[in-house]
Amino acid sequence: SLCAPVSAIASSATKVIFPDRKYVQVSQNERTKGVKHLVDSTPNLVSLPSLYALPSPNCPKPATNTSIPVIDLSGLDGSDDQRRLLTIKEIGSACEEWGFFQVKNHGVRISLMEEMVKAVEEFFNLPFEEKNKYASNDVMDPVRYGTGLNTPAKHTPLLLLHVARKYLEEVYALALTLAGAISESLGLNKDYIEISLGQGCQIVANNYYPPCPEPDRTLGITPHSDHGGLTILVQNDVDGLQIKHGEDWVAVRHVPGTFVVNLGDYLEHRGVVNKEKTRISIAVGHGPEQTATVAPAAPLIGDKGRAQFTPIMYKDYMKIQQSSVVRGKTPLESILINGDTMSAV
C-alpha cells in the first residue's frame, strides 16, 4: 500500500494573533502556549503585539487573481477510455505547470470532510491545559500537537482520533488514485509510485488560525514546503492558502467539496490570516516508509544515469526538514547536486 495510517496534529504557527483587543506585551513563555491560548486569556486586544509581527519585507503582499486548475476526477472511473486519458493528461499538466491543483468528484464523502473540520475545531476549543497534555519533544512521534511547524506531540483526543481514522481511510484511497494517474502521466506503470513508496506513511496536520487585527503585518504559516510526496488538503470556507508560482504568490480560492493537492517538498506555499474569521485547514501528507531510500525514478533519468538529487533515507530527510530553522526549500536544496552520476530507484 501507499501509506500506513500514521497521523500528526499541529496547531497554527505562532505568527497568528487575535481580533479587536488592546495591545499587551507578550512574553516568549506565553508565546509557547500558542495564539489560541492568548486569544482565550487576553481580553480587548486591538493591535498586533510586536513579538508576532514580521519584518516589513516579509509581510504578505497582495496575491494574484490567477486560479489553479480544478480537475474532475470522475473521468478516472474507467467508463470512458478517452475521458480517462484526458483526465490523466490534465493531472500531468497541472503537476508540471503548477504542482498544485484542486480536485472534485474525488470519492471522499463531503459529510466526512465536514465532520473532520468540526472535530478539529472542537479540539482547538479545548482548554490549553487539556491540549497541552498531548505535547512532547520528539519530531518523529506519529501524533503531535504544538504551536508551530516544528513542535510535535504524541497523543490526541478520542473524538478527533475516531473521526480521523475514517477520514484517513478515504483520503488514502484518493491518494492511491492520484498516485496512479500521476504515474501514468509520466509514462510509468500505473502502480510505479505506489510500489516505490512501499508501506509508506500518512501524516495529518490540523491547523487553526484565529482572526488577526492586522493581517497585513504577519502570516499564519511562513513560506514552506511539505516533506512527503503528495499532500491532500481540505479547509473550511475561509481562504488563506497561497502558493508560489514563478515569482508571484497566488491565492487558492475555496471551492466547496474540493481538495487541494500538491506535490510534496518542492513548491513553496504559505498561510495568510483573516481579520474577522477563523481559518481551519487539514493537510494529509503521503510519503514513503521511513526506512526507504528516496531518489529520482530510474526510468525518468535516461541512459546516462544522471539526476539532480542525491539519494537519502526518508526518515533522515524528515529530521532535516523538521529541524530546519528556516522552512521553505532549504532541506531539498541540501541534497541537490549538479550533474553528478548517482543511483536511482
Side-chain angles (χ1 to χ4, degrees), residues 144 148-150 222-227 268 320-331:
R144 59 188 186 172
L149 287 168
N150 295 327
T222 54
H224 66 283
S225 54
D226 301 334
H227 56 65
E268 288 184 299
I320 293 172
Q321 204 239 25
Q322 290 296 301
S323 62
S324 176
V325 174
V326 180
R327 295 297 294 270
K329 292 184 288 186
T330 303

Side-chain angles (χ1 to χ4, degrees), residues 33-335:
K33 296 181 179 180
V35 294
K36 185 62 166 63
H37 171 72
L38 293 170
V39 168
D40 295 337
S41 63
T42 310
N44 304 319
L45 198 84
V46 295
S47 63
L48 192 71
S50 59
L51 186 61
Y52 293 88
L54 291 173
S56 180
N58 297 332
C59 290
K61 302 297 188 297
T64 69
N65 291 321
T66 308
S67 298
I68 67 172
V70 179
I71 300 173
D72 187 344
L73 296 188
S74 62
L76 297 177
D77 64 10
S79 60
D80 185 325
D81 288 342
Q82 186 173 359
R83 187 180 175 209
R84 179 177 177 276
L85 292 175
L86 180 61
T87 303
I88 290 173
K89 184 177 179 180
E90 283 186 88
I91 292 172
S93 296
C95 290
E96 183 176 358
E97 172 64 20
W98 286 91
F100 278 79
F101 54 96
Q102 288 171 286
V103 294
K104 61 182 181 179
N105 295 322
H106 40 65
V108 179
R109 289 173 290 160
I110 303 299
S111 61
L112 184 56
M113 297 166 66
E114 295 171 346
E115 187 180 2
M116 183 66 182
V117 171
K118 181 64 176 176
V120 170
E121 182 179 25
E122 290 181 2
F123 171 78
F124 283 110
N125 283 334
L126 291 172
F128 167 74
E129 292 76 17
E130 182 66 21
K131 294 194 292 276
N132 200 45
K133 293 177 182 178
Y134 311 122
S136 86
N137 294 313
D138 185 355
V139 296
M140 301 307 292
D141 276 335
V143 182
R144 59 188 186 172
Y145 162 73
T147 61
L149 287 168
N150 295 327
T151 307
K154 57 183 178 183
H155 301 291
T156 190
L158 291 179
L159 173 62
L160 181 54
L161 184 59
H162 173 70
V163 176
R165 282 173 173 165
K166 296 185 295 180
Y167 180 77
L168 290 176
E169 286 179 1
E170 296 196 17
V171 173
Y172 167 68
L174 172 58
L176 290 179
T177 298
L178 291 169
I182 293 170
S183 292
E184 289 189 81
S185 76
L186 291 169
L188 303 171
N189 293 331
K190 182 179 180 180
D191 59 357
Y192 186 92
I193 292 177
E194 180 181 351
I195 292 174
S196 297
L197 294 180
Q199 179 67 19
C201 64
Q202 189 177 33
I203 299 175
V204 54
N206 304 312
N207 300 299
Y208 186 100
Y209 307 88
C212 174
E214 297 177 291
D216 58 339
R217 296 184 61 209
T218 190
L219 286 168
I221 290 184
T222 54
H224 66 283
S225 54
D226 301 334
H227 56 65
L230 193 70
T231 299
I232 299 174
L233 178 141
V234 68
Q235 58 187 355
N236 63 357
D237 60 355
V238 179
D239 290 338
L241 175 64
Q242 296 183 353
I243 67 170
K244 193 72 174 293
H245 186 244
E247 298 301 317
D248 298 321
W249 285 103
V250 176
V252 178
R253 304 303 178 190
H254 172 68
V255 179
T258 66
F259 285 103
V260 179
V261 179
N262 77 276
L263 299 183
D265 203 350
Y266 184 68
L267 298 175
E268 288 184 299
H269 49 284
R270 67 185 185 185
V272 298
V273 287
N274 189 282
K275 188 171 184 177
E276 300 176 352
K277 298 180 179 180
T278 292
R279 176 174 177 257
I280 293 174
S281 69
I282 303 165
V284 182
H286 300 81
E289 53 194 333
Q290 293 187 12
T291 57
T293 298
V294 180
L300 302 181
I301 293 177
D303 296 337
K304 294 184 179 180
R306 293 183 177 273
Q308 293 181 312
F309 298 93
T310 185
I312 186 172
M313 188 175 294
Y314 185 58
K315 68 177 181 180
D316 293 334
Y317 186 79
M318 286 181 65
K319 289 178 180 178
I320 293 172
Q321 204 239 25
Q322 290 296 301
S323 62
S324 176
V325 174
V326 180
R327 295 297 294 270
K329 292 184 288 186
T330 303
L332 189 65
E333 291 170 350
S334 71
I335 61 170

